[in-house]
């Protein structure tokens, strides 16, 4: 601890350690950081690595990278200039992106958001980035009124590529803009930019299996390329060290058990090179954390594949058509939230950047219409349960909330005030409840369904307590608690191979749940009784069970209702819908990769297309739910250190 304190003392002078950051006033972010005692190279690197958002963001970056062995490395970053569509065309492309991913899985095009490449990646030193941004701004200003509008795009498909190509004559005009930017960058920022010489296009899909072509082509033909669009010149950068690495996102927290292991924080990104994996043990990989710059071993099943552009840094966007005072106030918030799935504060740098919420409109535009009390087609909604107690507080969580007499004691605000049936028969080691935040997540989903005028006619859930509690809180949000009854269906339990031990959990019976004030249908007779479930079932058996019980549920509900909600497990979103759409099973490995990507309260909609029983995944009527991690805070360990 003392060693780290010495490092902090070198970075932050004593006079500023004793004062609040906000008390320092200076002309620019760089001046403020320099006045705080940060060395100039580090201050510049922090500002560039955070897109110049604020002094606070740069300070946070520096403190989190205090042990980064490359903190003082003078390596430049790699930059790229793209054209980004906005408005109605962007909505169409976002819809295609989502549907193609749902229908055919991820292909190479999903690694980067929809764009037209104007130049190759080029390097720029940290102290030249501000000048580079000014070059882009001035070049766009010179081109206002000259940029071709509308931009003619034509669909092209081949066996492994689908894209929208710019008309050649118009493409030459865009290339001239890129050349003008390159000239300006060379003159003012001393940066060499190589304009893109190949055909200009928006890539829709590539490097996909041949049998996916018909589905992808059908979706691509649905894009109305003549829709209105404001094109924006956007500048992004990436860490040059990880240009050829795989990008992964941390899903679960991990505390190192050995010195050669990496701490994992959900939401962080990991860069992984295939070259570094040769000597790792099975189940472990070697990677570098984006948030700290540290490299070490980490458990492979704690991370999942992410898109390459998720870790890119945004440096500015300029419209060729619009400039107004209202556009200067909300710079990059909408852009990065929508496109890079990042939580970033407003950019306070100067410029005439338009409101980037135009780049990707909220998905409400694509939602199922809520103007009717009932949707015209039958819809199956499948939802994962909320945040689990054993995941948040560890597998020994019971010891944290039990006193010497075995009574339940709440020891954290995220633990529920009480747990049903605590004093009676219970198997909480294998059947953990959800947290307070898990309940909140579920109510938010219910409230969103209510707001979208979505009618739920039947609710089925897995017998796991976490699923029952989630379903109950969704009903609260829907204002249907007590009006709709939960049907507990053991056939919806997750793949039993994932259950530890030699037996299934001892679930709380429906009658006892009802006695604990859960809105449970005690007259419901399960389609798959508990005694029909077997431990360590095969993958094929689990998928067959899930498919059959889903079909039976839909058949039973058809005469009296349109919409069915299933609240179960992460695997249920795939297992209950894939074969329903007539799609063949994935391999076990691919199935597990899909399941890893489904968060708490992950939600999907599968709609009946005809009376013949054809079903298809469609846009859900509600927005996705994203939230960040919040670790245990002990003021004694943090604030009472001498």
């Amino acid at each position: 601890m003392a060693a780290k304190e010495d490092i902090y003392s070198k970075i932050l002078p004593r006079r500023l350690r004793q004062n609040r950051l906000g008390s320092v006033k200076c002309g620019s972010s760089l001046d403020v950081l320099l006045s705080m005692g940060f060395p100039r190279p580090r201050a510049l690197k922090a500002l560039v690595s955070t897109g110049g958002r604020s002094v606070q963001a740069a300070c946070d970056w520096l403190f989190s990278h205090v042990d980064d062995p490359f903190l003082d490395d003078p390596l430049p970053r790699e930059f790229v200039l793209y054209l980004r569509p906005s408005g109605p065309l962007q909505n169409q492309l976002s819809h295609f992106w989502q549907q193609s991913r749902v229908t055919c899985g991820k292909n190479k095009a999903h690694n980067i958001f929809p764009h037209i490449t104007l130049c190759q990646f080029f390097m720029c030193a940290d102290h030249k980035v501000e000048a580079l941004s000014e070059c882009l701004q001035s070049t766009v200003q010179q081109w206002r009124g000259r940029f071709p509008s509308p931009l003619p795009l034509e669909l092209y498909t081949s066996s492994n590529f689908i894209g929208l190509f710019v008309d050649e004559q118009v493409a030459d005009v865009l290339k001239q803009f890129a050349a003008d930017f390159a000239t300006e960058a060379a003159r003012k920022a001393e940066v060499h930019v190589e304009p893109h010489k190949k055909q200009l296009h928006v890539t829709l899909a590539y490097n996909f299996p041949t049998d996916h072509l018909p589905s992808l082509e059908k979706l691509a033909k649905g894009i109305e390329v003549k829709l209105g669009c404001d094109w924006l010149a956007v500048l992004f950068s990436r860490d040059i060290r990880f240009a050829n690495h795989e990008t992964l996102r941390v899903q679960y927290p991990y505390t190192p058990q050995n010195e050669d292991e990496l701490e994992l924080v959900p939401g962080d990104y990991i860069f992984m090179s295939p070259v570094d994996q040769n000597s790792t043990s099975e189940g472990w990989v070697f990677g570098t954390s984006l948030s700290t710059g540290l490299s070490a071993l980490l458990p492979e099943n704690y991370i999942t594949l992410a898109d390459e552009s998720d870790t890119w840094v945004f440096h500015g966007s300029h419209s060729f058509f619009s400039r107004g005072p209202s556009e200067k106030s909300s710079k990059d918030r909408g852009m990065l939230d929508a496109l890079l799935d990042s939580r970033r504060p407003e950019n306070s740098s100067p410029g005439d950047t338009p409101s980037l919420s135009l780049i990707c409109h909220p998905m409400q535009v694509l939602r199922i219409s809520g103007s009717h009390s009932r949707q015209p087609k039958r819809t199956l909604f499948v939802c994962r349960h909320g945040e689990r107690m054993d995941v948040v507080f560890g597998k020994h969580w019971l010891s944290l909330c039990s006193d010497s007499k075995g009574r339940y004691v709440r020891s954290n605000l995220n633990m529920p005030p009480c747990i049903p049936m605590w004093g009676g028969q219970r198997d909480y080691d294998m059947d953990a409840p959800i947290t307070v935040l898990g309940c909140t997540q579920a109510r938010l989903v219910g409230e969103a369904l209510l707001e979208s005028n979505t009618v739920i006619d039947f609710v089925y859930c897995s017998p796991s307590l976490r699923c029952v509690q989630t379903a109950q809180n969704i009903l609260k949000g829907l204002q249907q608690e007590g009006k709709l009854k939960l049907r507990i269906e053991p056939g919806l339990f997750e793949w039993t191979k994932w259950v530890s031990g030699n037996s299934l959990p001892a679930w709380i019976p429906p009658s006892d749940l009802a006695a604990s004030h859960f809105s449970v249908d005690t007259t419901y007779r399960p389609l798959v009784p508990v005694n029909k479930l077997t431990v360590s079932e095969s993958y094929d058996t689990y998928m067959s069970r899930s498919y059959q019980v889903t079909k039976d549920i839909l058949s039973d509900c058809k005469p009296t209702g349109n919409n069915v909600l299933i609240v179960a497990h992460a695997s249920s979103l795939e297992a209950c819908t894939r074969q329903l759409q007539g799609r063949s099973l994935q391999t076990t490995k691919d199935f597990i990769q899909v399941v890893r990507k489904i968060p708490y309260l992950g939600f999907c909609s599968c709609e009946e297309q005809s009376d013949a029983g054809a079903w298809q995944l469609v846009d859900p009527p509600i927005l996705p739910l994203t939230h960040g991690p919040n670790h245990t805070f002990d003021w004694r360990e943090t604030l009472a250190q001498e």
Side-chain angles (χ1 to χ4, degrees):
M1 187 67 185
K4 182 163 286 192
E5 286 179 349
D6 290 341
I7 295 174
Y8 274 87
S9 66
K10 293 177 183 177
I11 293 178
L12 199 58
R14 180 182 301 274
R15 62 185 175 84
L16 286 170
R17 291 202 306 273
Q18 297 171 347
N19 293 282
R20 295 193 307 172
L21 180 62
S23 64
V24 181
K25 296 181 180 179
C26 209
S28 71
S29 296
L30 178 59
D31 290 336
V32 174
L33 292 173
L34 294 178
S35 72
M36 294 170 66
F38 290 106
R40 187 179 186 87
R42 288 190 178 186
L44 282 168
K45 177 171 284 192
L47 287 169
V48 173
S49 298
T50 56
R53 298 198 308 273
S54 66
V55 173
Q56 184 63 59
C59 285
D60 291 344
W61 187 92
L62 284 164
F63 290 140
S64 65
H65 283 76
V66 68
D67 294 320
D68 184 348
F70 293 94
L71 181 59
D72 296 311
D73 195 306
L75 274 177
R77 291 181 69 85
E78 278 193 322
F79 286 75
V80 70
L81 177 63
Y82 286 156
L83 276 183
R84 290 270 319 149
S86 70
L89 179 59
Q90 170 60 23
N91 283 334
Q92 292 271 316
L93 293 173
S94 296
H95 182 66
F96 172 84
W97 237 245
Q98 182 187 39
Q99 288 299 303
S100 62
R101 203 161 188 165
V102 167
T103 304
C104 301
K106 183 178 179 180
N107 63 68
K108 287 289 186 180
H110 288 114
N111 276 327
I112 305 174
F113 41 78
H115 67 277
I116 295 175
T117 303
L118 291 181
C119 68
Q120 307 298 324
F121 272 94
F122 60 92
M123 292 182 290
C124 181
D126 292 342
H127 67 283
K128 295 289 186 180
V129 171
E130 185 175 357
L132 180 68
S133 298
E134 291 173 355
C135 289
L136 177 59
Q137 179 180 337
S138 62
T139 307
V140 171
Q141 287 175 344
Q142 295 167 16
W143 271 78
R144 284 208 173 99
R146 299 163 54 195
F147 191 88
S149 178
L151 199 63
L153 299 171
E154 184 176 351
L155 180 64
Y156 170 83
T157 63
S158 67
S159 59
N160 64 354
F161 177 89
I162 301 176
L164 300 173
F165 278 77
V166 182
D167 176 83
E168 284 192 28
Q169 289 186 339
V170 176
D172 289 339
V173 177
L174 301 186
K175 290 178 181 179
Q176 184 57 54
F177 163 76
D180 288 354
F181 168 69
T183 300
E184 192 83 350
R187 185 168 64 89
K188 293 184 178 178
E190 299 178 341
V191 170
H192 177 69
V193 178
E194 186 70 32
H196 197 61
K197 296 179 180 178
K198 297 180 180 179
Q199 288 180 288
L200 300 187
H201 62 275
V202 178
T203 300
L204 298 178
Y206 79 98
N207 199 13
F208 50 81
T210 306
D211 59 341
H212 289 175
L213 177 61
S215 297
L216 291 171
E217 190 173 23
K218 181 180 178 181
L219 289 171
K221 287 180 178 177
I223 299 174
E224 299 179 46
V225 295
K226 295 182 179 180
L227 287 174
C229 178
D230 183 4
W231 290 90
L232 306 150
V234 292
L235 194 63
F236 288 91
S237 75
R238 66 184 183 187
D239 192 319
I240 192 173
R241 294 173 296 156
F242 307 118
N244 297 313
H245 286 51
E246 196 170 41
T247 304
L248 304 112
R249 189 199 301 265
V250 176
Q251 282 194 298
Y252 308 109
Y254 178 75
T255 302
Q257 308 297 314
N258 300 290
E259 291 184 358
D260 61 347
E261 295 175 5
L262 189 67
E263 181 180 7
L264 299 182
V265 177
D268 188 15
Y269 290 90
I270 302 296
F271 298 111
M272 190 177 75
S273 170
V275 178
D276 296 331
Q277 311 311 318
N278 296 332
S279 59
T280 57
S281 304
E282 184 176 356
W284 291 78
V285 295
F286 187 86
T288 303
S289 163
L290 171 68
S291 65
T292 66
L294 299 178
S295 303
L297 293 170
L298 58 135
E300 185 177 15
N301 60 344
Y302 281 56
I303 54 179
T304 186
L305 279 175
D307 296 338
E308 178 186 341
S309 60
D310 285 350
T311 59
W312 291 1
V313 175
F314 170 75
H315 293 276
S317 171
H318 304 275
S319 168
F320 288 94
F321 305 118
S322 61
R323 52 185 295 180
S326 62
E327 295 168 349
K328 300 178 183 179
S329 61
S330 56
K331 298 267 178 83
D332 62 342
R333 181 182 297 174
M335 167 74 169
L336 295 186
D337 283 348
L339 300 182
L340 301 184
D341 194 28
S342 300
R343 296 176 296 278
R344 305 185 189 277
E346 291 188 13
N347 188 335
S348 57
S349 61
D352 62 347
T353 309
S355 170
L356 293 180
S357 60
L358 293 174
I359 291 179
C360 186
H361 283 269
M363 289 301 294
Q364 287 99 319
V365 176
L366 303 174
R367 295 195 311 189
I368 299 170
S369 171
S371 60
H372 303 286
S373 60
R374 283 187 182 270
Q375 300 177 34
K377 298 178 181 179
R378 287 205 301 160
T379 305
L380 169 68
F381 302 111
V382 188
C383 182
R384 187 190 177 189
H385 59 76
E387 182 181 78
R388 298 171 53 156
M389 285 277 283
D390 53 346
V391 171
V392 175
F393 298 105
K395 63 181 180 180
H396 301 300
W397 66 273
L398 281 167
S399 62
L400 301 176
C401 52
S402 300
D403 63 12
S404 58
K405 297 182 179 180
R407 293 173 298 192
Y408 178 77
V409 177
R410 187 187 195 189
S411 61
N412 188 284
L413 287 177
N414 200 22
M415 292 181 175
C418 61
I419 292 180
M421 307 302 295
W422 180 265
Q425 296 296 318
R426 64 183 188 272
D427 189 11
Y428 292 120
D429 278 326
M430 295 182 67
D431 189 24
I434 60 176
T435 62
V436 171
L437 287 179
C439 295
T440 303
Q441 292 168 332
R443 283 198 299 273
L444 282 173
V445 167
E447 290 168 0
L449 289 169
L450 178 65
E451 182 183 351
S452 68
N453 296 321
T454 301
V455 174
I456 301 296
D457 298 300
F458 298 96
V459 182
Y460 289 77
C461 64
S462 160
S464 295
L465 179 57
R466 57 188 180 273
C467 299
V468 177
Q469 290 178 307
T470 300
Q472 180 84 1
N473 280 281
I474 290 176
L475 290 182
K476 286 182 181 179
L478 265 170
Q479 298 181 12
Q480 292 294 309
E481 188 180 21
K483 300 176 184 178
L484 273 179
K485 298 286 187 179
L486 307 179
R487 295 181 172 182
I488 310 298
E489 178 50 64
L492 294 172
F493 184 59
E494 65 185 344
W495 189 6
T496 61
K497 182 181 178 180
W498 289 336
V499 177
S500 60
N502 299 317
S503 62
L504 296 173
W507 295 301
I508 300 175
S511 57
D512 290 346
L513 288 170
S516 296
H517 308 293
F518 283 90
S519 183
V520 173
D521 183 355
T522 55
T523 65
Y524 175 71
R525 295 295 174 259
L527 297 166
V528 180
V530 173
N531 59 12
K532 295 295 184 181
L533 295 177
T534 59
V535 179
S536 299
E537 65 187 336
S538 68
Y539 168 61
D540 287 346
T541 300
Y542 166 63
M543 294 299 286
S544 176
R545 162 168 65 86
S546 300
Y547 175 44
Q548 187 60 51
V549 76
T550 303
K551 284 201 305 179
D552 290 345
I553 286 173
L554 292 171
S555 177
D556 289 350
C557 295
K558 185 173 183 178
T560 53
N562 279 340
N563 298 338
V564 176
L565 170 64
I566 288 176
V567 181
H569 307 270
S571 56
S572 304
L573 276 73
E574 170 77 358
C576 294
T577 64
R578 187 174 186 87
Q579 290 166 281
L580 192 65
Q581 301 171 77
R583 301 168 66 191
S584 58
L585 294 183
Q586 301 187 91
T587 64
T588 307
K589 182 179 180 181
D590 289 341
F591 168 74
I592 292 173
Q593 288 298 322
V594 169
V595 174
R596 283 177 174 175
K597 298 175 183 177
I598 298 173
Y600 293 127
L601 270 299
F603 192 97
C604 73
S605 301
C606 199
E607 187 179 87
E608 188 177 29
Q609 301 300 300
S610 66
D611 292 335
W615 293 75
Q616 181 179 341
L617 285 171
V618 297
D619 288 325
I622 62 174
L623 297 172
L625 173 65
T626 305
H627 62 90
N630 196 55
H631 301 291
T632 300
F633 174 66
D634 189 329
W635 65 271
R636 294 180 182 85
E637 294 181 2
T638 306
L639 305 178
Q641 298 296 320
E642 295 295 335

